[in-house]
Amino acid sequence: MYPNYTSYDPVLTGKCHVNFSALSYIIDKTASDCSIPLAPLVADVICCPQVNSLMNIFQAAYGSGNGTLVLNQASANACFSDIMSILASKGANTNIPELCTLRPSNLTDASCPVKDISSFEKIVNISKLIDACSSVDPLKECCRPVCQPAIVEAAMHISSGGANMFGSSGLPGSVAGIDIVSDCKGVVHSWLSMKLSSEEANSAFRVLSGCKVNKVCPLELDEPSPVVKACRKASSSTPSCCAALHSYIGTRQKQIFVTNLQAINCATMFGSMLQKAGVADDIYGLCDIDLKDFSLQAFGQQGCLLRSLPTDIEFDNTTGISFTCDLSDNIAAPWPSSSSVQSLSLCAPEMSLPALPISPKSGSSVGTSRTGIGVLLPLVFLTTSISI
């Protein structure tokens, strides 16, 4: 697939006072990740995470000259319009606000009581925050988070700084309190974007978004009554059961591309729905359902599961628009062990390596500990680049 658009000079409002040229790297990447033909199909895992990262970095660029971390509403309206116009001029889908549920208020973080750099740095342990988020490990952060809790802690600190502004409604657990902490996380993201390079900040935000999106199934799984009816006694009526199952999954797989981890979540959730409705047999095994069957298909059989790690849409004159698919897509879909949908743990457990050897001369171990070393075993996937 090759782009069928021609770039042009966007018409800007003239009311957003920021140097967009300094943001060309992140803007170009976002336009590519949200390109016109693919944005709706990769919105959940590529386009929207990248747009959110751009918003964080833009907030920092806008505020760096005046000591603020957010925009006022008038500036946010103008700048949001300009950002969308520039992205569209570079081939991005014009429906990004709807696809990603974005609005100008995303640039204001209005309910957070701390909005300037000076106040932020007086309240937050900034050295701790920078240490935690300056280099986010994509293999470890989702399983043994370091940056995420540091951001939440900082957001809690600055949100409590405005406790007198929202009174009892800001008590932990209240709707207002949760909204304020959420806005304050946006302020923390803006501050981090000021302290890190655009590349470092974007990499960190993409990893953090990946941790979030890979925990859920993004597909709309409607009531599977035809499958339940055909498969309650699957072992005695496999053809009709498999026909109903493939028909149901075939309709859902037309929605979007999903990652390998999202496919596992979707398979588990759908299997639990079937079990609760009375389907006892492993019909995934009976009907040869693979994880790739839960993602968008090309030519009927070539399912593409995106990587769980952040990926981008690439373009060159030879291959056209391309992105990286996962080579584990022929793995059989897992049938859940029970009908109760529980939070899946897709992280390998920590293992304890043997204690270091004891020196025969000193009688002590060569090191400071004999209890072993905790090691995180990441999930590793083979990948390939596919052009469409």
Side-chain angles (χ1 to χ4, degrees), residues 8-312:
Y8 57 89
D9 293 329
V11 178
L12 305 182
T13 64
K15 299 178 181 179
C16 182
H17 306 296
V18 70
N19 181 8
F20 283 105
S21 297
L23 297 169
S24 59
Y25 162 80
I26 196 71
I27 289 175
D28 289 347
K29 180 181 283 291
T30 306
S32 176
D33 282 348
C34 297
S35 58
I36 292 172
L38 282 178
L41 304 177
V42 297
D44 185 63
V45 292
I46 296 180
C47 174
C48 295
Q50 182 57 45
V51 172
N52 288 326
S53 179
L54 168 62
M55 292 297 178
N56 294 331
I57 294 170
F58 178 86
Q59 268 184 251
Y62 187 92
S64 60
N66 54 27
T68 62
L69 293 166
V70 300
L71 282 67
N72 61 46
Q73 191 61 58
S75 296
N77 291 339
C79 290
F80 186 85
S81 174
D82 285 355
I83 292 171
M84 294 302 141
S85 294
I86 292 172
L87 289 175
S89 75
K90 294 177 177 291
N93 195 293
T94 56
N95 292 325
I96 288 175
E98 292 75 26
L99 288 173
C100 303
T101 319
L102 286 175
R103 54 190 64 88
S105 59
N106 289 100
L107 295 171
T108 68
D109 295 312
S111 68
C112 187
V114 174
K115 303 179 188 298
D116 63 276
I117 298 172
S118 177
S119 299
F120 182 94
E121 294 183 350
K122 288 177 182 177
I123 297 172
V124 175
N125 184 338
I126 57 176
S127 61
K128 179 180 178 182
L129 181 59
I130 281 290
D131 288 345
C133 296
S134 60
S135 179
V136 180
D137 189 323
L139 292 179
K140 295 181 180 179
E141 180 66 27
C142 299
C143 295
R144 306 287 184 269
V146 175
C147 181
Q148 294 172 84
I151 290 174
V152 171
E153 181 182 341
M156 292 292 289
H157 278 307
I158 60 176
S159 67
S160 64
N164 61 331
M165 298 178 65
F166 50 81
S168 61
S169 66
L171 292 174
S174 71
V175 174
I178 292 172
D179 288 344
I180 291 170
V181 172
S182 178
D183 274 358
C184 285
K185 286 175 68 176
V187 173
V188 177
H189 291 156
S190 178
W191 184 88
L192 280 171
S193 299
M194 286 185 178
K195 300 302 177 181
L196 304 176
S197 69
S198 293
E199 292 85 350
E200 290 172 331
N202 188 65
S203 176
F205 295 141
R206 289 296 303 274
V207 171
L208 299 184
S209 293
C211 294
K212 181 178 179 180
V213 300
N214 281 313
K215 291 180 179 178
V216 299
C217 170
L219 301 181
E220 296 180 9
L221 300 176
D222 301 331
E223 184 64 34
S225 51
V227 181
V228 173
K229 182 178 179 180
C231 298
R232 273 207 176 100
K233 297 180 180 179
S235 57
S236 61
S237 57
T238 300
S240 59
C241 170
C242 292
L245 180 60
H246 283 288
S247 175
Y248 179 93
I249 293 179
T251 302
R252 274 74 203 162
Q253 71 189 191
K254 294 178 181 178
Q255 296 174 6
I256 54 173
F257 286 107
V258 301
T259 69
N260 42 44
L261 298 185
Q262 287 179 325
I264 295 175
N265 281 306
C266 290
T268 302
M269 179 179 293
F270 181 49
S272 297
M273 290 171 61
L274 294 174
Q275 287 180 338
K276 287 181 179 178
V279 179
D281 296 322
D282 175 7
I283 59 174
Y284 291 167
L286 287 171
C287 303
D288 296 322
I289 299 297
D290 294 330
L291 287 179
K292 70 178 177 61
D293 295 324
F294 288 89
S295 191
L296 199 65
Q297 308 283 299
F299 309 113
Q301 295 295 323
Q302 300 176 20
C304 171
L305 292 175
L306 298 176
R307 298 186 300 178
S308 56
L309 297 179
T311 191
D312 293 298

